[in-house]
C-alpha cells in the first residue's frame, strides 16, 4: 500500500507540473530557501511551474551551461541563447528559483510580444523587417551585429533583440502561435 501511495504522489506531481514563460523583460531569480535575489532570467524563457507561494511562484529552469561562463544557462549548445544569469555560484540545469507570479505567462506569444514590437520598430525605420524564421540562429548574430550601429541600439537592446530573433529563427526554440 505504501508503494502505491508513493507512486500516486510521484505521478500526480507530473500531472500538476505545467509549463509557463517569463513575461517580463528581466525578472529577478530568488533563492528557493532564503528568497534573496541570486540572478535574473529573461523574457520568453520556458520554465516549469513547481508551486505557487503567495505572490511568488517556484519554477524549475532547464538549459545548458555556457562554456567559459558557469553563471549562465542557455537554450542550445550551438549557437547559445543565454536566458539566465546567476550573480554568484554556478548555474545548473534543473535548479529551482522563486519568481514573481506576475512575471509569468501561460502562453508563449505574450512573453515575446513587447520585444517583437521593439525589433520591428527598430529595424523598419530603414528597411522592411525580416521575419525571424527567414534565417538560422547563427545568422542572426552576424546580421544584427552589422546593423547595430545603423539601428542605434546599445548592447543590452541588441542582446534582447538577438534572443528574440534566435528563439524564433528557423532552427530556434520558440513556436509560432496560431
Amino acid at each position: 500500500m505504501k508503494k502505491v501511495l508513493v507512486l500516486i504522489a510521484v505521478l500526480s506531481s507530473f500531472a500538476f507540473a505545467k509549463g509557463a514563460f517569463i513575461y517580463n523583460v528581466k525578472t529577478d531569480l530568488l533563492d528557493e530557501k532564503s528568497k534573496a535575489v541570486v540572478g535574473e532570467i529573461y523574457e520568453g524563457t520556458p520554465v516549469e511551474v513547481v508551486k505557487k507561494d503567495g505572490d511568488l511562484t517556484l519554477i524549475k529552469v532547464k538549459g545548458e551551461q555556457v562554456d567559459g561562463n558557469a553563471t549562465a544557462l542557455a537554450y542550445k549548445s550551438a549557437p547559445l541563447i543565454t536566458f539566465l544569469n546567476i550573480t554568484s555560484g554556478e548555474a545548473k540545469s534543473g535548479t529551482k528559483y522563486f519568481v514573481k507570479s506576475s512575471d509569468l505567462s501561460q502562453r508563449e506569444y505574450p512573453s515575446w510580444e513587447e520585444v517583437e514590437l521593439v525589433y520591428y520598430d527598430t529595424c523598419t525605420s530603414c528597411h522592411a523587417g525580416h521575419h525571424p524564421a527567414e534565417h538560422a540562429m547563427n545568422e542572426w548574430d552576424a546580421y544584427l551585429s552589422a546593423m547595430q550601429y545603423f539601428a542605434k541600439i546599445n548592447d543590452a537592446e541588441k542582446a534582447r533583440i538577438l534572443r528574440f530573433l534566435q528563439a524564433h529563427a528557423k532552427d530556434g526554440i520558440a513556436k509560432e502561435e496560431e
Side-chain angles (χ1 to χ4, degrees):
M1 183 66 172
K2 197 178 215 183
K3 289 181 183 178
V4 172
L5 290 175
V6 170
L7 181 61
I8 290 172
V10 169
L11 291 175
S12 67
S13 70
F14 289 119
F16 293 112
K18 59 182 177 179
F21 301 89
I22 299 298
Y23 181 71
N24 206 355
V25 174
K26 195 169 26 176
T27 297
D28 286 335
L29 290 170
L30 308 175
D31 181 73
E32 183 179 6
K33 292 176 179 59
S34 69
K35 295 189 179 160
V37 175
V38 294
E40 59 191 23
I41 189 167
Y42 306 113
E43 67 200 324
T45 302
V47 298
E48 180 183 315
V49 173
V50 177
K51 71 175 182 178
K52 293 192 183 241
D53 184 9
D55 292 344
L56 299 175
T57 299
L58 186 65
I59 61 167
K60 184 189 292 188
V61 183
K62 294 182 181 176
E64 297 185 29
Q65 199 172 63
V66 177
D67 290 335
N69 183 359
T71 63
L73 284 183
Y75 290 121
K76 290 178 131 182
S77 58
L80 295 171
I81 306 174
T82 301
F83 64 84
L84 174 147
N85 282 298
I86 302 298
T87 52
S88 64
E90 191 173 329
K92 295 180 182 172
S93 184
T95 303
K96 296 176 187 172
Y97 303 98
F98 276 106
V99 296
K100 285 194 255 179
S101 297
S102 60
D103 287 345
L104 292 172
S105 172
Q106 297 305 307
R107 292 179 37 235
E108 185 173 19
Y109 178 74
S111 67
W112 292 108
E113 191 171 24
E114 184 182 325
V115 69
E116 180 180 33
L117 292 173
V118 170
Y119 162 67
Y120 282 111
D121 282 349
T122 301
C123 296
T124 61
S125 64
C126 297
H127 58 80
H130 294 272
H131 190 279
E134 288 180 34
H135 300 287
M137 290 171 60
N138 61 356
E139 295 171 333
W140 277 119
D141 188 22
Y143 291 141
L144 194 56
S145 293
M147 298 303 297
Q148 182 177 5
Y149 172 79
F150 300 107
K152 297 177 177 65
I153 56 174
N154 62 36
D155 289 341
E157 292 165 326
K158 176 191 171 205
R160 184 178 180 211
I161 293 169
L162 184 59
R163 273 192 302 275
F164 165 74
L165 291 170
Q166 288 181 326
H168 289 82
K170 62 182 159 189
D171 57 345
I173 54 99
K175 296 169 184 61
E176 288 287 322
E177 187 165 279
E178 297 173 16

